[in-house]
Amino acid sequence: MTKIRAKISGIQGWVPPYILTNKELETMVETTDEWIMTRTGIRERHILKGEGLGTSDMAVEAVKGLLAKTGTTADEVELLICATVTPDMVFPATANIICDKVGIKNAVGYDLNAACSGFLFALVTASKFVETGTFKKVIVVGADKMSSITDYTSRETCVLFGDASGAVLLEPTTEEVGVMDSLLQSDGAGRVHLHMKAGGSVKPSSHDTVDAKEHFVYQEGQPVFKFAVTKMADVAAEIMERNNLTSEDISYLVPHQANMRIIEATARRMGVGKEQVMINIERYGNTTSGTIPLCLWEWENKLKKGDNIILAAFGGGFTWGSVWLKWAY
Ligand code: UT7
């Protein structure tokens, strides 16, 4: 029987217009452009401004653009998975809100939370529905309004994050392209280093939790850094090894954009040169579920059918993983 694979047949990204520069951050917290650039590689990030606007509004921009450029009607979409840690509300799922705002009426929608690995986990989950023939037109959207959970008085975290969305259309193919292999891992013990303290069922929102600033990202930078460097490189190297891929076979590495030093370490471990790595952290910062689709979107015109691409991510949970993708157009 011919194997059905899930191919990416279109990609669209979106960032809000407001740009928060390192220079502006220098006026908000005790930091410098020099510190942020050397420690993270980030120069600026986009922030969603506007009363009543949330993650779904950014996702809607990406999804509408995706439908238009792939010539897909809203009615044709059968499944939409939204990867996010900043849902519009605790419930319902942001995916449902996106579908409603776009006019997607015939689709199943749900959210998936794997923090910075969210897009990768959602892509793999969605690809299984396509490979098994369950759905033929599937949208995976990664979107995060990180500014909504960032403490702009904390220099440790506020320099890192930005807002963005990115969406891909997945369709079945019998060609040797699309999602070729994937490797996903998680370890809940890592939660102590990276989490949000309040707003969940363990510690519901209260005046005290607001006063204690417990509705923002809590991150212990160094332990997270150590795990990220090791784990992201491990999975990227493993997926290459088990598929007999060498650095010469790889057109691009697409790493989650959390820190330039983590990106460089992963590339070194894989033996790929900087020109083979998609890097746009300087302009967008860490957009959590948005980083990988934003890269693919920006590099779309350079990609050719059959290009071998390795996606790699690491994030809260901890979660981490890698995908071997053959570009389909
Ligand atoms: O995407 C999900 C996963 N997340 C990640 O992968 C993030 C991983 N972690 C990191 O990328 C890095 O740990 C950070 C960028 C968060 C921090 O960089 P670092 O090199 O690990 O710095 P550090 O936390 O060890 O701090 C070094 C110094 C400290 O001062 P002292 O104690 O040496 O006096 C900090 O207080 O830098 C200070 N510092 C800052 N200084 C100026 C921390 N943030 C800033 C800042 N500006 N924004």
Side-chain angles (χ1 to χ4, degrees), residues 131-164:
E131 288 166 9
T132 53
T134 312
F135 298 121
K136 291 194 167 56
K137 291 210 189 270
V138 176
I139 290 178
V140 177
V141 52
D144 270 300
K145 184 184 170 186
M146 291 307 290
S147 61
S148 67
I149 56 167
T150 298
D151 177 3
Y152 286 97
T153 64
S154 159
R155 69 177 184 176
E156 283 78 16
T157 49
C158 76
V159 302
L160 304 174
F161 298 107
D163 302 336

Side-chain angles (χ1 to χ4, degrees), residues 29-32 35-36 39-40 116 155-157 159-161 194 219-222 224-226 228 256-259 261-262 286 288 314-316:
V29 288
E30 193 67 41
T31 192
T32 59
W35 190 96
I36 305 171
R39 297 294 180 114
T40 70
C116 292
R155 69 177 184 176
E156 283 78 16
T157 49
V159 302
L160 304 174
F161 298 107
L194 183 52
Q219 175 169 257
E220 293 161 5
Q222 286 199 0
V224 178
F225 185 92
K226 279 186 204 140
H256 169 56
Q257 315 274 307
N259 188 312
R261 292 179 289 149
I262 300 173
N286 182 351
T288 303
F314 181 88

Side-chain angles (χ1 to χ4, degrees), residues 5 176 179-183 235-246 249-250 308-310 322-326:
R5 295 189 187 279
E176 277 291 289
V179 177
M180 306 298 288
D181 193 15
S182 62
L183 184 57
V235 279
E238 189 178 337
I239 210 157
M240 284 172 67
E241 272 159 35
R242 77 181 189 190
N243 290 290
N244 299 315
L245 295 167
T246 67
D249 300 318
I250 304 300
N308 287 311
I309 298 172
I310 302 288
S322 187
V323 166
W324 169 32
L325 199 68
K326 259 188 189 291

Side-chain angles (χ1 to χ4, degrees), residues 254-276:
V254 191
H256 169 56
Q257 315 274 307
N259 188 312
M260 186 61 119
R261 292 179 289 149
I262 300 173
I263 295 171
E264 285 168 353
T266 307
R268 263 199 307 277
R269 174 82 178 279
M270 290 170 62
V272 299
K274 217 169 173 190
E275 66 293 343
Q276 288 166 277

Side-chain angles (χ1 to χ4, degrees), residues 55-56 59-60 63 77 79-84 86-105 107-112 139-141 143:
T55 293
S56 71
V60 162
V63 171
V77 180
L79 170 68
L80 185 144
I81 303 179
C82 177
T84 189
T86 51
D88 281 15
M89 304 171 181
V90 173
F91 74 91
T94 302
N96 301 139
I97 303 171
I98 297 165
C99 287
D100 183 53
K101 287 181 176 174
V102 174
I104 295 172
K105 304 271 187 224
V108 182
Y110 58 86
D111 289 359
L112 189 152
I139 290 178
V140 177
V141 52

